[in-house]
Amino acid sequence: KQVLDVMALSTIFFVNSFDLLSSGTKYALSIAKTRIMKNGYLLAMATLLLAMGCNAQSRPINTNTVSSLDLKRYMGRWYEIARYDHSFERNLDECEAFYSLLPDGKISVVNTGVNSKTGKHKSSYGKAKAGRKVGQLRVSFFWIFYSDYNILALGDNYDWALVGSSSPKYLWILSRTPHLSDATLAHIIKIAEYRGYDTSKLIYVKQ
């Protein structure tokens, strides 16, 4: 009888231990499952955000130029109303561009501005030539290195211009006067947005 009692107690202890072990195992599995689901959710969210970022960056930009351009009418002084931020005009206000046609058919380019932090005037001298299509110029400020200057849209009276490049990183709004009316500026911004540009990135230049 004592042997049976010992065996019974051993059995009870074994079962209880097994139950405790099973409970611990279930708890561990539950924690692991929760962590896996949480990590899987975070991974899914990260993948989704990355995909959204890639889609935003790869959003197609319409860089088609105007269908006709009177180059002589385009010459003269232009005031910079707004632009995308970039290193060679950073912190510059009162920005102007002056284009003049040279006897050989090329274009003299003079860009000026005032550094808003130091008050110093900055001038850049370059050259331009006709591009590969109507409405496109090729502009250089250093040696033989040229970049595309695409006239995307132009006012009927050559009173404003929307200018881009082959890269979506560059965009300018130019005007013959230091300021544009709200209606005209809104019209130009709509054109830029329709072409795929993010106009929230525009910096408005003090004139």
Side-chain angles (χ1 to χ4, degrees):
K1 182 178 179 181
Q2 290 180 345
V3 172
L4 292 175
D5 290 341
V6 170
M7 290 180 64
L9 290 172
S10 298
T11 301
I12 293 170
F13 176 78
F14 175 77
V15 170
N16 289 337
S17 298
F18 181 78
D19 287 342
L20 289 173
L21 180 62
S22 298
S23 298
T25 302
K26 289 178 181 178
Y27 177 74
L29 289 175
S30 177
I31 292 296
K33 182 180 179 181
T34 301
R35 288 179 178 177
I36 290 172
M37 290 179 66
K38 182 178 180 181
N39 291 337
Y41 173 77
L42 292 176
L43 179 61
M45 287 300 295
T47 303
L48 178 61
L49 290 174
L50 179 62
M52 290 173 64
C54 290
N55 287 336
Q57 292 178 357
S58 61
R59 184 181 179 185
I61 301 294
N62 182 350
T63 60
N64 290 337
T65 57
V66 293
S67 58
S68 63
L69 176 68
D70 185 335
L71 195 56
K72 290 183 178 180
R73 289 186 68 187
Y74 195 78
M75 297 297 99
R77 188 179 307 279
W78 290 94
Y79 294 89
E80 188 176 283
I81 304 300
R83 67 171 181 265
Y84 274 0
D85 185 36
H86 47 74
S87 59
F88 52 90
E89 278 190 295
R90 187 151 297 152
N91 300 323
L92 289 186
D93 286 332
E94 301 178 35
C95 298
E96 299 178 15
F98 190 84
Y99 307 132
S100 55
L101 200 57
L102 301 175
D104 62 359
K106 292 184 179 180
I107 300 167
S108 168
V109 179
V110 181
N111 290 342
T112 62
V114 178
N115 190 303
S116 61
K117 295 186 178 297
T118 64
K120 292 183 177 180
H121 289 257
K122 179 181 178 180
S123 298
S124 301
Y125 301 89
K127 56 189 175 182
K129 59 184 180 179
R132 294 179 291 270
K133 54 186 177 181
V134 176
Q136 182 185 73
L137 301 177
R138 299 275 291 162
V139 181
S140 172
F141 287 94
F142 177 70
W143 200 25
I144 59 173
F145 300 101
Y146 285 82
S147 58
D148 290 340
Y149 177 107
N150 293 336
I151 304 172
L152 307 175
L154 192 59
D156 293 337
N157 297 317
Y158 284 63
D159 52 344
W160 61 263
L162 179 66
V163 177
S165 185
S166 56
S167 168
K169 296 180 180 180
Y170 302 101
L171 188 68
W172 292 268
I173 296 176
L174 306 179
S175 171
R176 293 295 192 183
T177 57
H179 305 283
L180 285 171
S181 68
D182 292 342
T184 301
L185 182 57
H187 172 66
I188 299 170
I189 288 174
K190 283 185 178 179
I191 293 174
E193 290 174 345
Y194 180 77
R195 285 174 168 268
Y197 288 94
D198 181 0
T199 57
S200 67
K201 298 194 304 182
L202 284 170
I203 296 174
Y204 292 89
V205 182
K206 293 180 181 179
Q207 289 289 354

